[in-house]
Amino acid sequence: MTKAITDFSAKEPSLGYFYQIKYALLILLTHSKELDNPRVRIENLDDIEIEDVNTLQLLQTKLHIKNKANLTDASVDFWKSIRIWSEHINNGLIDLETTIFNLITTEEIPTSSLLYKFKSKISLESEILEIIKSLDKISMESSNKTNEKAYLAYQSLSVENKKSLIRRIRILDNSIGITEINDKIKKELIYSTYPSSLDAFLEILEGWWFAKSIDNLTSRIDSISSSELQLKIANISDSFQADNLPNHFSVQLEITDEDVENLKERNFLKQLDLIKINANSKTLKRAISDFRRAFEQRSKWLRLQLLNPDEEEQYDTKLYDYWQNIFDIMCDEAEEKSIEEVIELGKKFYIEQFAKTCPQIKIREKFNEDYLTRGSYQMLSDSKKIGWHPNYKKEI
C-alpha cells in the first residue's frame, strides 16, 4: 500500500502555483478600478506582473502553510525577491522610475525587523540610506549560503539603483492564504450576480481564468487584460439572469470507439441501432456527446439550485409534445410498410428532425444551445419515453 503524503512541505509548491494564479485574478480585479485597463502576466518578469500605460508592478507571492514563521531580515523569501529584482535592474529589463516591487507573504514581519519599514512607502532620504546600510551589512557579513547569490546580485547594484529599489519596495505580510482567497475574490464580484449564485458564478469565472493563465504560461497569449476580464464577467452575469442559464459544457466531447462499446447497453444507443445508425459513425458519437453534455449540464444546474425541478419537468414536457406531434405523422406513414421501409422511415425521421436540424425548444429564453435540446431528447430516448422507430416500444 502506498504511503499517503502528509507533509505539507511537499504540498506547498503545488498549492503555491494555485495561489499564484488565483492571486493574479484578485490583483486584476482590484487594480482594474484604479489603473487604466491594466493587464496581467504570470511567471514573466516575476510571479505576477500587472501593468498599465504608466506603471509596472512586480509581485512575488509567498504561500506558507506549515511552520509559518516571522519574516526576518535574512529571510530567504525576501532575499530571493531582491535577487530577482536586482538582476532585472542590472539587465535593463525594467524601468526603475515606473516600477513598484511587491512581496506578498502569508508570514508576519515583527516590528523589530528592518523589513517592517517596507510595509509603508519609504520616502525620506535619511531613512533610505539607513536601510541600505543595514542591507549592505547583512549581505556582506551573513554566512547564509542559500542567500549567497541574492547577496551578490544586491551588492552589484549602484548606490543610486539601491536607493530607487528601496524606495519602491512594498511588503504585504499576513496576506490571505489559499483557503481565504476565494472569499476575497467573491467580495470583488459581489455586484455581478445574485447572492445565491455567487459560488456558481466564481466556478465558471475560475475555469475561464485558469484556461487563460495556461495560455499565458505557454506563451499562446502575451497577457490577460482588464477589459477582457470585464467582458467575461459581463457575459457570465448575463447567463445568470432570470431568462438565461450558465453554459458549463460549451465544448463538444471527443467520443472514442471504447466509449461506444461501454455504453452499448444503454437504451438510447439501442434506439439508434434499431434504425441502423452505425456504431462507428460520427452521427452516433455526436449523440453520445450530446447525451453526456445535456445530462451533466442539467445535473449541475439542479445541484447549484439554478434550475427548479418543476422547470426541468416542464421543459421535458415541451420536448415530448413536439416529438409526439411529428412522431404520430411518421407512424401514419409507416402503416403497411415493410420492415426495411419502416427502419428507413425511422432513420430518416431521426436524421432530418433531430440530427441535421434541432427543434428550437428552449429551457430558458436566452439559453439556446442545441446540445441541450438534442441531448435531452437522447435522455428521453434512454428512458424509452420517446423513440425513433415507429415500433420502438415493442422492439426494445
Side-chain angles (χ1 to χ4, degrees):
M1 183 176 179
T2 304
K3 184 178 179 182
I5 298 174
T6 56
D7 183 2
F8 272 107
S9 64
K11 298 178 181 179
E12 273 189 350
S14 297
L15 288 173
Y17 286 121
F18 283 108
Y19 182 77
Q20 181 181 340
I21 290 174
K22 283 175 173 282
Y23 208 95
L25 172 58
L26 178 60
I27 283 291
L28 191 54
L29 283 168
T30 56
H31 283 62
S32 293
K33 302 166 187 173
E34 56 196 51
L35 300 180
D36 183 13
N37 190 25
R39 54 186 62 247
V40 154
R41 296 183 183 89
I42 302 171
E43 290 289 349
N44 189 46
L45 291 172
D46 219 325
D47 289 347
I48 303 167
E49 63 180 82
I50 181 165
E51 70 169 341
D52 69 351
V53 293
N54 299 312
T55 61
L56 169 67
Q57 293 204 43
L58 304 184
L59 297 94
Q60 280 279 317
T61 55
K62 304 298 180 184
L63 173 70
H64 295 278
I65 301 171
K66 193 178 181 183
N67 298 325
K68 194 172 175 181
N70 288 334
L71 197 68
T72 63
D73 296 352
S75 163
V76 172
D77 285 352
F78 173 74
W79 281 99
K80 180 184 177 183
S81 301
I82 291 292
R83 176 188 174 184
I84 292 170
W85 297 334
S86 298
E87 288 177 351
H88 287 342
I89 293 169
N90 284 330
N91 292 331
L93 295 177
I94 55 176
D95 180 359
L96 259 174
E97 296 305 312
T98 59
T99 305
I100 302 295
F101 305 89
N102 300 274
L103 173 57
I104 315 295
T105 178
T106 52
E107 292 189 324
E108 182 177 6
I109 307 174
T111 56
S112 58
S113 171
L114 170 68
L115 304 187
Y116 194 82
K117 296 180 182 294
F118 292 113
K119 284 170 65 73
S120 55
K121 185 177 180 180
I122 303 168
S123 54
L124 289 176
E125 182 78 5
S126 58
E127 192 174 11
I128 292 170
L129 291 173
E130 188 63 32
I131 293 172
I132 290 174
K133 182 179 178 181
S134 298
L135 294 179
D136 284 348
K137 181 178 175 66
I138 294 168
S139 67
M140 289 185 287
E141 296 181 2
S142 174
S143 58
N144 188 325
K145 293 294 182 183
T146 305
N147 291 342
E148 190 172 357
K149 290 183 179 179
Y151 294 149
L152 291 173
Y154 167 76
Q155 289 167 15
S156 68
L157 293 176
S158 67
V159 173
E160 287 305 312
N161 281 345
K162 285 180 182 178
K163 286 181 182 180
S164 294
L165 175 61
I166 299 307
R167 191 177 288 115
R168 288 168 172 78
I169 292 177
R170 309 284 185 270
I171 300 180
L172 174 62
D173 66 339
N174 281 324
S175 179
I176 53 175
I178 188 71
T179 56
E180 297 88 19
I181 197 164
N182 272 8
D183 290 336
K184 192 77 172 177
I185 293 172
K186 282 192 284 188
K187 285 182 179 178
E188 294 295 326
L189 299 170
I190 195 167
Y191 296 115
S192 299
T193 189
Y194 302 104
S196 60
S197 303
L198 203 49
D199 286 332
F201 187 100
L202 179 56
E203 182 180 321
I204 297 173
L205 181 62
E206 277 196 333
W208 173 83
W209 181 260
F210 271 87
K212 298 298 288 188
S213 297
I214 291 170
D215 285 344
N216 183 224
L217 286 165
T218 54
S219 300
R220 292 182 63 187
I221 58 174
D222 174 69
S223 59
I224 312 169
S225 69
S226 172
S227 57
E228 192 175 4
L229 176 60
Q230 183 182 8
L231 188 63
K232 185 62 182 180
I233 289 172
N235 178 263
I236 300 172
S237 293
D238 183 62
S239 73
F240 278 84
Q241 297 302 309
D243 58 355
N244 206 347
L245 284 163
N247 183 9
H248 296 87
F249 300 95
S250 58
V251 179
Q252 188 69 231
L253 302 179
E254 290 293 329
I255 304 300
T256 65
D257 291 342
E258 184 180 0
D259 293 325
V260 177
E261 178 66 23
N262 291 337
L263 291 168
K264 67 181 182 180
E265 295 305 315
R266 295 298 296 257
N267 284 330
F268 80 99
L269 289 191
K270 289 180 179 179
Q271 295 244 36
L272 293 174
D273 180 61
L274 200 57
I275 56 172
K276 303 301 181 185
I277 301 295
N278 191 288
N280 296 317
S281 67
K282 289 183 173 65
T283 302
L284 184 132
K285 289 178 179 179
R286 178 63 180 264
I288 293 175
S289 173
D290 289 339
F291 173 86
R292 283 184 171 176
R293 291 166 73 195
F295 180 84
E296 291 297 331
Q297 183 63 85
R298 290 171 60 155
S299 298
K300 197 174 190 72
W301 284 335
L302 291 170
R303 189 166 61 252
L304 295 173
Q305 298 183 342
L306 300 175
L307 183 68
N308 189 302
D310 290 341
E311 191 178 4
E312 183 184 36
E313 187 176 338
Q314 291 167 8
Y315 177 61
D316 283 342
T317 298
K318 288 191 289 185
L319 294 174
Y320 178 85
D321 286 347
Y322 178 88
W323 166 86
Q324 182 72 66
N325 183 53
I326 56 176
F327 181 75
D328 287 346
I329 296 172
M330 190 260 294
C331 287
D332 287 343
E333 294 179 14
E335 291 182 4
E336 300 182 3
K337 299 280 187 183
S338 68
I339 293 175
E340 291 77 14
E341 288 174 325
V342 169
I343 291 172
E344 186 60 32
L345 196 61
K347 184 175 184 178
K348 181 180 179 182
F349 171 69
Y350 173 75
I351 294 294
E352 296 297 328
Q353 300 291 339
F354 299 93
K356 281 187 178 180
T357 60
C358 181
Q360 293 304 298
I361 302 169
K362 303 175 185 178
I363 194 164
R364 294 255 178 101
E365 182 58 34
K366 286 187 178 178
F367 191 88
N368 193 27
E369 298 292 334
D370 286 349
Y371 80 83
L372 183 75
T373 305
R374 288 193 175 102
S376 293
Y377 271 117
Q378 298 298 343
M379 290 170 65
L380 291 172
S381 167
D382 198 53
S383 63
K384 296 199 287 187
K385 292 179 179 177
I386 69 164
W388 321 117
H389 189 286
N391 301 314
Y392 76 93
K393 289 182 179 179
K394 294 178 182 180
E395 299 289 341
I396 296 179

